[in-house]
Amino acid sequence: MTPPDFLESALARSSRHLRLDTLVRLRWLAISGQSLAVAGVHFGLGFVLPFGWCFAVIAVSAWLNIALRIRFPLSHRLTAGAATALLAFDIIQLAALLYLTGGLQNPFSILFLAPVMISATALPPQRTLLLGMLGVALATGLSFAHLPLPWAGEGRPVLPPYYQAGNWIALVLGLGFTGIYAWRVAKEARDLSDALTATELVLAREQHLSQLDGLAAAAAHELGTPLATIALVARELSRLAPAEGEMAEDIALLREQVERCRGILGKLTSLQDDDGGPLDELSLRLLIEEAAGPQRPFGMPFEIAMQGEKPEPICRRNPGMIYGLGNIVDNAVDFARAAVTITARWDDNQVTLIIADDGPGFPADVLMRAGEPYLTHGAGENRAGGGLGLGLFIAKTLLERGGAAIEFSNLPAPASGASIRISWPRAVFEAGLRPQGATNSGASALHRAG
C-alpha cells in the first residue's frame, strides 16, 4: 500500500520556477551598485579606469532588463533553461566589468558567488554546477588577462602572483561551499513542503467524506417536508381509490417507497450518533488482516502472533490507521527475504504492533532519520532500492495523528532485518479516534436516497 505513484510524479512536476520579476529586480539592484561603484571610484576617488567601457557593459545589462519587462509580464515564470541563461549572462557581464577593472585583484570579484547561490536555491543541481564551472573558468581567465587595477597617481600597486592565486582559490572554494550549502537548505525546505502536500493529498478523500455528514443532515432536513406531503397525499389516495385493481397496487407501492425514504432520512439525521454497525468495528486481528491483506497476493508469507489475554482490543474502522499500517507492511514485504512477522501484544494499558522483516535492515545513517520525507540516501537504497521516504513519512504521520507512537529499529544479532513498533494507549486505541464523519456511510445513504 505504497503512496500512489501519481502523487510523487505530480510533486516532481510541481512549479518551482523562478519568477522573472525576481531576477529583474535583483539585476536592477546589481546595476545600481555597479554604477555607483564605477562612478564613485572615477569621480569620487579620482582613480583612472575605462569609464565609458564600464558603463557600456552596465548599459547592456540595463537594456536586457528593459527588454524583459516589455516582452514578459511580471508574473512570468522562467523555465530552468531560461533562468540558467539569464544567470549565465550575469556572470559573463560581471566578468567583463572585472576585466576592465583589475580582474581578480578587484575586491568585487567575490560577487561571482551571487548568481551561483541564486541558482542553488531554485534550479536543479546540474544547472548550478554548470554556472559554477562557468564562474571558475572566467575567474581563471581573469587571473591571467585583465586591465590594470584602477588607482590614483603614478605608482600603481603591483600585487604578487601568490595574492591573485589566493583570490582564485578563495573564490573557487566560496563557489563550491555556498552553492552546496544553499542547495541543501533549499532542498530540505522543498522536500518537507512536498511531503506535507502529499499527506494532504492522501487525506483529501477522507476529508471530502467527512463533509458528507453535514450535507446529509442538511439534505434530510430539507427533504423531510416534501416527503411528509407525499406521504399525506398517498394516504388520501389510498382512502379514495378502490380497494382492488392496478391503482390500489400503485398506491401501495408509493406508500412503501415513502416509508423507505423516511427510513433513509432517519439514518441520515442520526448519522453522527450511529455506531456504524458491526462492520464499523475491527478486532486487532481483523485490523492486521485488513492492513496486510492487499500484500498477500505477492506470495510473501506472513507470520502473525497474537499475545495477550482475552478480550482482544477492538477499534473503530479508521481509514488513516489502515492506510498507515498497510504502508509499513508494504515496505516490510519489499525488503523481506523469506517472511514478514507481525506481532500483536496488548494488556490493560497498551496495544502494540511490531512489524518485522528478515531483510537487510535499516543502515545506521538511515535509522537515525527514518520517517523523514524523501529519505533517498545511497545507504537507504541498499534496502531493496529505496521505499524509505515519502511512503514511510505518510504512514508515520497518519498513525501519529491517531494517537500512536512509532519506533524504528533493527533486529538484534545474529538475526537481520528491520523492526517497526507501533503502540497506542489501550483507551485511545479502543476509542478509535475516527476522524469526524470520515466514513462512507453518508455517501452510501445519499446514493440510496437518490
Side-chain angles (χ1 to χ4, degrees):
M1 200 183 295
T2 53
D5 293 338
F6 76 90
L7 290 181
E8 294 196 38
S9 62
L11 293 172
R13 294 191 301 267
S14 63
S15 175
R16 296 195 191 94
H17 300 307
L18 273 172
R19 291 178 64 222
L20 177 62
D21 183 61
T22 301
L23 287 185
V24 168
R25 288 178 181 271
L26 290 173
R27 188 175 290 114
W28 280 126
L29 181 62
I31 291 170
S32 300
Q34 292 169 357
S35 301
L36 183 62
V38 170
V41 170
H42 184 69
F43 296 108
L45 299 178
F47 287 7
V48 178
L49 76 164
F51 183 78
W53 282 107
C54 289
F55 264 93
V57 172
I58 297 173
V60 172
S61 187
W63 279 112
L64 175 61
N65 255 10
I66 294 172
L68 291 173
R69 284 289 195 189
I70 295 173
R71 176 65 179 82
F72 299 101
L74 295 178
S75 59
H76 179 72
R77 290 190 177 273
L78 300 166
T79 64
T84 303
L86 289 177
L87 291 173
F89 169 83
D90 291 334
I91 294 176
I92 295 172
Q93 187 260 1
L94 178 62
L97 200 57
L98 290 173
Y99 171 81
L100 298 171
T101 55
L104 292 188
Q105 298 179 19
N106 190 324
F108 288 101
S109 60
I110 195 174
L111 293 177
F112 271 126
L113 300 178
V116 177
M117 185 180 299
I118 294 172
S119 173
T121 59
L123 298 180
Q126 298 84 350
R127 304 282 181 172
T128 303
L129 179 61
L130 289 175
L131 292 174
M133 293 173 63
L134 176 62
V136 171
L138 292 175
T140 303
L142 288 174
S143 64
F144 295 102
H146 56 83
L147 296 183
L149 182 70
W151 208 263
E154 296 294 332
R156 293 177 181 271
V158 178
L159 299 177
Y162 288 118
Y163 178 82
Q164 295 190 60
N167 277 351
W168 182 87
I169 294 173
L171 184 60
V172 171
L173 293 178
L175 286 171
F177 176 78
T178 57
I180 294 173
Y181 177 78
W183 174 75
R184 286 295 305 173
V185 171
K187 182 178 182 299
E188 289 178 5
R190 288 194 296 263
D191 287 350
L192 181 58
S193 175
D194 285 349
L196 292 174
T197 301
T199 303
E200 292 175 358
L201 291 174
V202 169
L203 296 176
R205 176 176 174 273
E206 300 306 325
Q207 187 175 8
H208 289 312
L209 291 177
S210 69
Q211 297 171 354
L212 288 177
D213 284 343
L215 295 175
H221 177 75
E222 295 296 328
L223 291 174
T225 300
L227 188 60
T229 302
I230 294 172
L232 178 62
V233 172
R235 189 164 53 249
E236 290 296 322
L237 288 175
S238 66
R239 186 173 61 83
L240 298 175
E244 302 292 339
E246 293 184 1
M247 181 177 291
E249 293 178 0
D250 291 340
I251 293 174
L253 178 61
L254 178 61
R255 296 189 66 180
E256 178 185 339
Q257 294 302 313
V258 167
E259 292 303 319
R260 182 182 177 189
C261 288
R262 279 182 167 177
I264 293 174
L265 292 181
K267 183 171 183 177
L268 290 178
T269 55
S270 62
L271 191 60
Q272 296 292 342
D273 301 325
D274 191 4
D275 61 4
L279 294 180
D280 197 46
E281 295 182 351
L282 295 174
S283 67
L284 184 57
R285 176 175 283 277
L286 288 177
L287 175 65
I288 296 171
E289 289 293 341
E290 188 150 342
Q295 306 305 321
R296 290 189 181 277
F298 294 101
M300 180 62 65
F302 283 88
E303 299 176 5
I304 300 178
M306 309 296 291
Q307 301 175 2
E309 297 182 359
K310 300 294 184 180
E312 189 176 317
I314 297 176
C315 68
R316 292 278 190 176
R317 180 183 298 275
N318 185 327
M321 181 188 296
I322 296 171
Y323 187 94
L325 290 175
N327 223 322
I328 294 175
V329 172
D330 180 45
N331 274 298
V333 170
D334 285 342
F335 303 136
R337 294 191 178 99
V340 172
T341 301
I342 302 177
T343 304
R345 298 172 182 163
W346 68 90
D347 54 29
D348 293 338
N349 300 317
Q350 194 172 50
V351 177
T352 302
L353 284 179
I354 301 175
I355 302 173
D357 62 74
D358 57 355
F362 293 106
D365 57 337
V366 172
L367 184 59
M368 299 298 295
R369 299 187 294 139
E372 293 183 7
Y374 291 96
L375 185 58
T376 56
H377 190 275
E381 295 176 356
N382 291 335
R383 280 203 78 204
L388 299 176
L390 185 57
L392 198 55
F393 171 81
I394 293 175
K396 184 173 182 286
T397 301
L398 291 172
L399 291 170
E400 288 180 342
R401 186 172 176 234
I406 303 179
E407 300 176 9
F408 303 91
S409 62
N410 287 325
L411 298 176
S416 67
S419 174
I420 299 179
R421 177 189 178 98
I422 308 108
S423 58
W424 298 263
R426 181 157 181 165
V428 172
F429 182 84
E430 294 189 329
L433 295 182
R434 178 175 57 178
Q436 293 296 320
T439 69
N440 59 4
S441 54
S444 301
L446 286 175
H447 178 73
R448 293 194 301 271

